[in-house]
Amino acid sequence: AEAFEKYYGPAAADSGVMSAAVTEALDPIARTADADDGLNTADHAVKWHGNVVQVDDGGYETYGFYKQGAANVASKVKAAAAALSGKARVFYVIAPNSLGGIMSNASFASLLGAGKTSEQGGIAYSYQCAGDKVICVDACTALRMHNSEYIYLRTDHHWNGLGAYYAYAEWARDAGFTPVALSDYNTLVMPGCLGSYYY
């Protein structure tokens, strides 16, 4: 584990420094460790506004797992995959909200109550319902691996360009091609944006 922490990183995997077999074997270990961490609300000011929790200057929409809803959406994706069998691949990507993408597991439990289904758990359930003909993309873990970065807008429920990039890169790998490097994109800053939580 110590050697792993010292030598492994997503950049090394993406650049081809390690063989594909080594990358494939080590990637789930890194994801599991990194995805458990996140924003710890115990160290920050927390204030509730209905179903939005304000942590310092950021807003986070609460999450509630709706089992039937998750199954219903998955059944539609599953039907599409069956209809397109032999003609096209069907990808299923569920984007977590900022609470699921950024909060630590402990903070999630503290805010919403212990025993509640996490967004990762809810997404996994929906993916399970989609069947084996659907390619399910784990955007949630991909985002959680970068949850110390600015990947969601602070006063809005949408991910920003960087968060979208990490989800795209995960989809690209599942689709079987190397994603365009982040450094190949131009950066555009749009100041003064007041998002859906700002009110």
Side-chain angles (χ1 to χ4, degrees):
E2 290 173 13
F4 174 79
E5 291 294 332
K6 183 175 180 182
Y7 294 109
Y8 176 83
D14 291 343
S15 68
V17 169
M18 297 183 294
S19 73
V22 171
T23 299
E24 188 175 330
L26 294 180
D27 195 48
I29 300 169
R31 288 169 175 271
T32 300
D34 291 343
D36 287 342
D37 294 330
L39 178 62
N40 184 352
T41 56
D43 302 330
H44 301 274
V46 175
K47 184 176 180 183
W48 285 92
H49 305 275
N51 69 334
V52 174
V53 60
Q54 179 183 345
V55 181
D56 292 336
D57 64 349
Y60 302 88
E61 182 179 19
T62 56
Y63 171 78
F65 176 57
Y66 175 45
K67 188 173 184 178
Q68 189 58 51
N72 288 345
V73 172
S75 70
K76 290 174 177 38
V77 177
K78 185 176 184 177
L84 295 169
S85 181
K87 299 174 187 173
R89 297 182 295 169
V90 173
F91 294 86
Y92 189 15
V93 185
I94 298 177
N97 68 23
S98 54
L99 189 81
I102 292 177
M103 288 289 164
S104 69
N105 291 338
S107 291
F108 182 95
S110 173
L111 290 170
L112 300 184
K116 294 287 176 85
T117 301
S118 68
E119 286 197 56
Q120 291 161 296
I123 290 169
Y125 174 78
S126 192
Y127 284 174
Q128 179 185 353
C129 294
D132 58 3
K133 293 190 173 21
V134 174
I135 302 169
C136 298
V137 180
D138 188 7
C140 189
T141 300
L143 289 163
R144 290 191 62 78
M145 288 180 64
H146 297 276
N147 60 17
S148 62
E149 301 172 41
Y150 179 51
I151 56 174
Y152 283 89
L153 300 173
R154 303 292 290 154
T155 56
D156 190 271
H157 63 285
H158 292 96
W159 55 29
N160 62 18
L162 183 59
Y165 173 81
Y166 290 134
Y168 148 76
E170 189 68 17
W171 167 80
R173 283 188 282 273
D174 286 349
F177 65 90
T178 303
V180 175
L182 185 58
S183 58
D184 289 344
Y185 287 89
N186 294 324
T187 299
L188 176 64
V189 178
M190 300 176 67
C193 173
L194 301 180
S196 59
Y197 299 148
Y198 185 77
Y199 73 93

